[in-house]
């Protein structure tokens, strides 16, 4: 019986060794394939890293170029801003001068002409008021105003401009 037991143990050990050998060979093949795959991945990563570095260098060059061009455009943008400010000042000055001139004309008109009766107490629209004032000015004597009155208006405008600037 011991001989049979030893024989059975020997057969069982041989079967176990055979299965272990097959398993180890399969594991070896899997590891070889994994190693090969990792080598291919490493090669691909190396190629991609070179391309990524080239792309980053190119992007840096573009950034430097854009920054240089922006620095060149800065004086132009400053000039545009200055022009806008000047135009704003001129517009404001023109409004002030025109308001002063209109007020001056109205005060001169009140002193020169006598009040005329009006058929309507107030004009219903801005267009009607403009037409009425135009008609009033043109229906006077038809003669042009003397030059000295225009000189006064220019003087008033110059004074307003001086006050605005200082």
């Amino acid at each position: 019986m011991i001989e049979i037991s030893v024989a059975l143990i020997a057969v069982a050990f041989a079967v176990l060794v055979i299965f272990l050998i097959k398993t180890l060979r399969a594991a070896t093949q899997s590891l070889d394939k994994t190693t090969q795959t990792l080598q291919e991945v490493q090669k691909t990563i190396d190629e991609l890293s070179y391309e990524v570095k080239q792309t980053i260098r190119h992007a840096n060059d573009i950034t430097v170029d854009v920054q240089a061009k922006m620095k060149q455009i800065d004086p132009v943008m400053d000039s545009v801003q200055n022009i806008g400010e000047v135009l704003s000042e001129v517009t404001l000055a023109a409004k002030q001068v025109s308001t002063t001139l209109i007020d001056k004309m109205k005060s001169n008109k009140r002193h020169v002409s006598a009040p005329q009766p009006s058929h309507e107490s107030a004009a219903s629209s801005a267009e009607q008021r403009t037409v009425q004032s135009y008609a009033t000015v043109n229906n006077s004597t038809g003669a042009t105003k003397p030059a000295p009155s225009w000189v006064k208006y220019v003087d008033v405008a110059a004074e307003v401009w001086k006050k605005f600037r200082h």
Side-chain angles (χ1 to χ4, degrees), residues 118-151:
S118 172
H119 296 294
E120 295 181 19
S121 61
S124 61
S125 71
E127 183 178 342
Q128 288 175 343
R129 287 190 302 269
T130 304
V131 169
Q132 287 175 358
S133 65
Y134 181 77
T136 303
V137 170
N138 286 333
N139 285 339
S140 54
T141 60
T144 59
K145 292 188 178 183
S149 66
W150 285 107
V151 173

Side-chain angles (χ1 to χ4, degrees), residues 76-94 161 164-165:
V76 173
M77 297 308 288
D78 290 341
S79 296
V80 169
Q81 181 181 4
N82 292 338
I83 288 171
E85 291 173 0
V86 167
L87 287 177
S88 178
E89 287 182 17
V90 168
T91 302
L92 181 61
W161 180 254
F164 175 75
R165 294 302 288 172

